[in-house]
Amino acid sequence: MEYTQFIDGILTTGSNRETWINLNPANNEPLGEVYQATNEDIEAAVQSSEKAFRVWRTKTGAERGRVLLKAADILRSRVEQIALVETQDVGKPISESLAVDITSAADALEYFGGMAAGIHGEYFDLKNAFGYTRPEPLGVCAGIGAWNYPIQIAAWKAAPALACGNAMIFKPSELTPATALELAKAIMEAGAPDGLFNVVQGDGRVGSKLVEHPGIAKISLTGSVSTGKKIFAGAASQLKRVTLELGGKSPLIIFEDADIHNAVSAALLANFYTQGEVCSNGTRVFVHRKIFDIFLRQLKERTEKIRVGDPADPETQLGALISKAHMEKVMRFIEAGKAAGATLLTGGFRPEKDFKGRDITSGNFLAPAIFTDCDDAMEICKEEIFGPVLSILCFDSEEEVIERANNTAYGLAAGVFTNDIKRGHRVIHQLQAGTCWINNYNITPIEIPFGGYKQSGLGRENSLAALQQYTQLKTVYVELGNVESPF
C-alpha cells in the first residue's frame, strides 16, 4: 500500500521522494509506505485549491449541501471497509471504528450539508437607508489532524469549511495517513470540483509549510499544546485565522449522591476508550469521600474485566496504543506515578496474552491502569498522559473540588455526576472548561460546539458555532436618499 498525496482529484505517483513505513500498532507490521509531501506538492495543492475555490464559492448553499450529503452517504455505504482501515491504522477496536469514527465523519458531512443552504447574514432597517451583512468564505483553509480519530477530525474540519464555500488542504498525522484519503475520494465522487479537498502527507515540516504559505487563509489544528503554540505564532505573522483544539487534563467529579454504576461507567469511558488516547478524557477522577471506597471497588472490578486484544476482533474493548514510542512514554508516566508515591491499584503493565489467550507481545498493548493515593501536585495528575491511565482523588466539599479541578493550565473538558440538578449546573458553571457534561462523559454530537478554555485551544468545532470559524463578515450600507456633506 502507498499513502501518497491526493491533489486535484487524483492520487500522485509518489516517486523519488522521502518515505517511511506505516506500522500496524497491533503487531508493528508494515501497512504501507507513506510519501512525504514536497514543497512542489504543497504549491500544487494550494494552486489546485485556489482554482476549486473560485468555482465552489459561486455555488449556492443548497448546491454545496447536496455534495456534502452525498459524500456522507458514500461514507456510510463503505463503513465496514473504512472502519477496518481505521482500526489497522490507529490500533483502536473495530467496534469503535464502526460505531463512532466513520459514523461521526458522516454525521459531520450530513449536518453541515443540511446547514449550507441556511447560511445567511442580517438585514438592518436604517433612516433613508438599509444595511445588511454577508458571511463570506475565507478562501483556502488548511486542516492539520491528529492520529487518534483521523477520519472524524478530517471531516469535522472539512465539512463546515466546505459548507461555507471554502476549499481545504488537509494534512493527516504522519502516523495515520490512510482514512483522510478515503474522505477525499468520497468528497470527489460526490461531485465536488477537483482540488476542493486535497490531502498532503507528512510530518511537522509539512504543517509548517502550510502555516507559512501566503495562499492559505486559515489553519485548523487538532494536536498538542506545544504544537498549537507554534502554529499560533506562525499564523500571527500573516494574521491568519486559527482554530486550535489542543490537549487537556480534565476533571470528572463524582458527588456522594451520584448513581455509582453510571459514574463508574463514565469514568471508564473517560479514561479507557480508544486506549485513553482522547484529548477530552477525564483523567482526574474526583470522588467524594463518602462513596470513595465503594466507587473504587466497582471501578477496579470492571477495569480488570476489560477485554484487551486484537483490535480487529469485534469482542475487543481496548486495543493497541498508536506506536511503540508512545507506549514507552505512557509507561514512563506510570513509573513516575509510582516513584511519586501513588499506588498502582491495577494494570499498567504490558500483557503477554489477550483475552482469548493470543500472543500480543509484538503489539503496543497496555493493561488499563488505576492510580490511587494521588496528590494534585503529582506529574500523573498534572500532565496529559494520553494513554489508559486513571488517577483517582478524594474530596470532601463542593468548594474544595471546584478549586482543585480548576487548578490546571488546561480547560478542554469537565464532567459532574450528581442527582442534584441544581448542584450539577452550579458546579459546571464554575468549572473553567469549554466542553462539559452532567451525568455523562465524552459524548460529542455534531450539533453542539466542541472546544476548550485556557491552553486547551481557541475557537470551536461542530454546531453552528463552526460556521463562524470559516466565514468573514462583510457589512454593506445602502443609501436611499441624498448624500449629506458639510463640503
Side-chain angles (χ1 to χ4, degrees):
M1 178 70 183
E2 290 186 339
Y3 306 100
T4 65
Q5 327 311 319
F6 190 96
I7 298 173
D8 211 33
I10 60 172
L11 290 165
T12 64
T13 58
S15 59
N16 300 318
R17 300 186 181 174
E18 179 184 348
T19 66
W20 63 92
I21 300 301
N22 185 37
L23 300 177
N24 184 336
N27 51 30
N28 284 302
E29 293 180 359
L31 291 170
E33 196 168 17
V34 189
Y35 288 80
Q36 172 95 355
T38 63
N39 291 343
E40 291 75 18
D41 290 326
I42 295 169
E43 192 59 42
V46 172
Q47 291 181 12
S48 168
S49 291
E50 287 175 340
K51 181 181 67 175
F53 170 64
R54 288 192 290 271
V55 174
W56 188 246
R57 71 174 303 174
T58 66
K59 302 289 185 182
T60 66
E63 290 172 326
R64 296 195 295 267
R66 279 194 288 271
V67 171
L68 295 179
L69 290 170
K70 187 173 181 181
D73 289 341
I74 292 171
L75 286 189
R76 293 190 197 281
S77 72
R78 300 173 183 168
V79 63
E80 293 185 0
Q81 168 204 336
I82 301 174
L84 181 58
V85 173
E86 188 88 328
T87 284
Q88 292 174 335
D89 217 17
V90 181
K92 65 173 59 188
I94 187 68
S95 58
E96 292 184 19
S97 296
L98 285 167
V100 176
D101 297 52
I102 320 305
T103 302
S104 177
D107 286 348
L109 293 167
E110 195 169 63
Y111 176 83
F112 288 105
M115 288 291 128
I119 298 173
H120 63 277
E122 295 179 291
Y123 171 84
F124 305 90
D125 192 17
L126 308 170
K127 183 178 181 180
N128 293 323
F130 66 90
Y132 62 92
T133 57
R134 283 170 50 88
E136 297 186 342
L138 302 173
V140 178
C141 302
I144 301 175
W147 46 256
N148 55 342
Y149 284 84
I151 195 168
Q152 181 198 73
I153 291 170
W156 278 17
K157 297 182 188 308
L162 302 189
C164 293
N166 304 284
M168 174 162 277
I169 302 170
F170 185 79
K171 188 198 88 65
S173 166
E174 62 268 32
L175 297 176
T176 51
T179 50
L181 297 174
E182 299 300 323
L183 177 62
K185 293 173 188 175
I187 291 173
M188 290 302 105
E189 290 177 31
D194 291 345
L196 188 70
F197 183 74
N198 289 321
V199 177
V200 291
Q201 307 282 3
D203 55 23
R205 291 170 291 171
V206 175
S208 295
K209 290 293 183 184
L210 294 174
V211 174
E212 295 166 4
H213 200 289
I216 293 176
K218 177 195 169 70
I219 304 291
S220 178
L221 166 79
T222 298
S224 67
V225 172
S226 59
T227 301
K229 289 179 177 179
K230 292 175 184 176
I231 285 179
F232 196 25
S237 66
Q238 298 180 43
L239 292 180
K240 290 183 193 289
R241 298 191 179 210
V242 294
T243 297
L244 303 174
E245 195 273 279
L246 308 177
K249 192 66 180 176
S250 302
L252 173 57
I253 301 171
I254 315 296
F255 284 99
E256 70 275 17
D257 65 338
D259 182 302
I260 293 180
H261 180 82
N262 282 338
V264 171
S265 296
L268 296 172
L269 184 66
N271 282 273
F272 303 140
Y273 203 75
T274 310
Q275 302 76 245
E277 298 165 322
V278 182
C279 53
S280 56
N281 269 358
T283 53
R284 293 183 295 146
V285 180
F286 293 91
V287 181
H288 196 279
R289 190 176 303 277
K290 289 182 179 179
I291 61 167
F292 188 88
D293 291 340
I294 187 173
F295 183 94
L296 190 59
R297 284 197 300 270
Q298 291 190 24
L299 181 68
K300 180 178 183 291
E301 179 182 351
R302 291 176 62 180
T303 297
E304 291 174 347
K305 291 179 180 178
I306 292 175
R307 298 190 294 270
V308 180
D310 179 4
D313 188 328
E315 296 181 44
T316 292
Q317 295 175 311
L318 193 144
L321 275 71
I322 186 66
S323 69
K324 186 175 293 185
H326 184 64
M327 178 186 65
E328 291 171 351
K329 176 184 174 183
V330 175
M331 289 296 295
R332 286 195 294 271
F333 272 109
I334 291 171
E335 292 304 314
K338 291 190 288 186
T343 299
L344 183 59
L345 182 67
T346 187
F349 61 90
R350 293 193 60 192
E352 295 182 356
K353 303 287 185 180
D354 74 356
F355 69 101
K356 288 187 175 178
R358 296 169 293 201
D359 186 290
I360 55 173
T361 53
S362 61
N364 311 320
F365 294 93
L366 187 62
I370 298 173
F371 273 107
T372 62
D373 301 313
C374 297
D375 182 272
D376 294 340
M378 290 179 179
E379 186 180 27
I380 58 170
C381 298
K382 294 176 64 178
E383 301 299 326
E384 184 177 36
I385 299 174
F386 223 63
V389 181
L390 182 159
S391 297
I392 188 166
L393 304 108
C394 189
F395 75 93
D396 293 294
S397 71
E398 180 178 314
E399 295 74 19
E400 169 207 344
V401 76
I402 290 170
E403 181 178 357
R404 292 170 65 192
N406 286 335
N407 186 23
T408 174
Y410 299 106
L412 183 54
V416 170
F417 265 76
T418 177
N419 280 326
D420 182 344
I421 195 64
K422 292 181 180 178
R423 176 161 61 184
H425 288 289
R426 182 173 65 244
V427 173
I428 282 290
H429 293 176
Q430 295 178 76
L431 295 178
Q432 297 164 2
T435 307
C436 300
W437 296 272
I438 298 176
N439 294 334
N440 211 325
Y441 205 88
N442 266 351
I443 307 302
T444 56
I446 200 72
E447 294 89 348
I448 62 176
F450 182 82
Y453 285 7
K454 300 193 282 190
Q455 292 194 32
S456 288
L458 300 168
R460 291 295 180 269
E461 296 193 298
N462 298 344
S463 80
L464 292 175
L467 300 178
Q468 299 173 16
Q469 310 294 317
Y470 289 98
T471 55
Q472 52 195 344
L473 201 63
K474 177 178 285 182
T475 300
V476 181
Y477 177 97
V478 181
E479 180 62 58
L480 299 177
N482 296 321
V483 175
E484 295 184 9
S485 172
F487 305 106

